[in-house]
Amino acid sequence: MAEGLRERKKRQTRQYISDVATGLFVERGFDAVTVAEIADAANVSVNTVYNYFPAKEDLFLDRSSGVVDRLARWVRGRDPGESAARAVLRELRAEVEAVSPRIGLFPGYVPFMRVIEAAPALRSRLWAVAQEVQANLEQALREETGAADDDPLPGLMAGQISWLHGTVMAVVGREMLKERPPEEVSREVLDLLDDMADLLSEKVLNYAVRGA
């Protein structure tokens, strides 16, 4: 029980530091805020900040760990008779239809995106996250299909399927920056998903079908 309480305290401290940092970044911009200022505002030491967040970018993109395995998780959880691409399309449609904050469909996403737009370091980190998403998806496809390590097909398919997710996230971010209603953006992105599905070849749409 004591160990559980310690872990809970650590999670709360981590979240508090991240919340304080995010507030400062939104108010003043990512580049204008130092880690020392964040530590002072959160009433912790600089070392404590770095114990929880190895880099300054991690303070703002603290939920990226939940994104890097998103596509791989969706593919591994696909239904019997469902392909990898169709599983990702289904999951994306569900998130968009639900007007889900997990893909940026909420009013509070606007100041968040403005910070990113103004900070090259954050844009670079998001690019790295996207590469990790694709790499994790490729590994999942190799495992699910039993492909050899030197087989290029899982990598090619991961690129095609990751394009769906990356495009949706980019369009949502761009349109939410215009301060449009999330429900309106959702309807347009659903149409976009249909258009993207039409662009995928049958080979992609029927790759890695889970057996019944």
Side-chain angles (χ1 to χ4, degrees):
M1 183 64 176
E3 183 178 357
L5 290 173
R6 284 197 296 270
E7 289 303 313
R8 180 182 178 185
K9 179 77 166 22
K10 287 172 63 176
R11 285 194 301 273
Q12 290 174 335
T13 299
R14 187 182 192 280
Q15 188 61 57
Y16 178 68
I17 294 170
S18 174
D19 290 345
V20 168
T22 298
L24 291 173
F25 293 146
V26 168
E27 178 184 351
R28 294 166 50 193
F30 181 78
D31 294 331
V33 179
T34 67
V35 173
E37 289 172 323
I38 293 167
D40 184 63
N43 198 30
V44 298
S45 69
V46 170
N47 284 340
T48 296
V49 174
Y50 281 120
N51 283 341
Y52 287 99
F53 302 94
K56 182 180 171 184
E57 292 82 0
D58 297 323
L59 283 156
F60 192 69
L61 301 173
D62 62 311
R63 292 184 174 88
S64 63
S65 59
V67 175
V68 293
D69 68 340
R70 177 183 284 172
L71 300 190
R73 188 172 66 250
W74 288 349
V75 166
R76 288 194 172 102
R78 68 196 185 284
D79 297 330
E82 188 175 45
S83 71
R86 293 188 191 280
V88 170
L89 283 166
R90 174 175 54 77
E91 293 282 2
L92 280 172
R93 284 194 180 100
E95 295 283 356
V96 175
E97 285 177 346
V99 194
S100 173
R102 286 188 294 269
I103 58 171
L105 287 170
F106 68 107
Y109 198 50
V110 176
F112 184 85
M113 283 301 300
R114 284 179 178 155
V115 174
I116 293 172
E117 285 291 300
L122 290 175
R123 296 199 302 274
S124 295
R125 174 58 66 87
L126 283 178
W127 179 87
V129 169
Q131 298 306 298
E132 193 170 353
V133 169
Q134 184 169 325
N136 286 340
L137 174 59
E138 178 181 347
Q139 183 59 36
L141 290 173
R142 288 191 184 280
E143 294 171 0
E144 292 292 304
T145 61
D149 290 342
D150 59 353
D151 185 347
L153 193 55
L156 295 173
M157 291 295 180
Q160 294 284 301
I161 297 170
S162 295
W163 165 73
L164 297 167
H165 180 260
T167 300
V168 166
M169 296 300 293
V171 170
V172 167
R174 183 189 70 207
E175 296 305 313
M176 291 304 296
L177 268 173
K178 299 174 184 176
E179 300 189 20
R180 298 179 59 197
E183 294 79 9
E184 185 178 289
V185 176
S186 169
R187 290 192 295 271
E188 291 185 4
V189 174
L190 285 173
D191 290 338
L192 177 65
L193 275 167
D194 290 338
D195 292 339
M196 288 193 291
D198 289 341
L199 291 173
L200 293 177
S201 71
E202 287 300 311
K203 188 170 185 178
V204 174
L205 288 171
N206 293 305
Y207 179 74
V209 174
R210 167 154 286 165

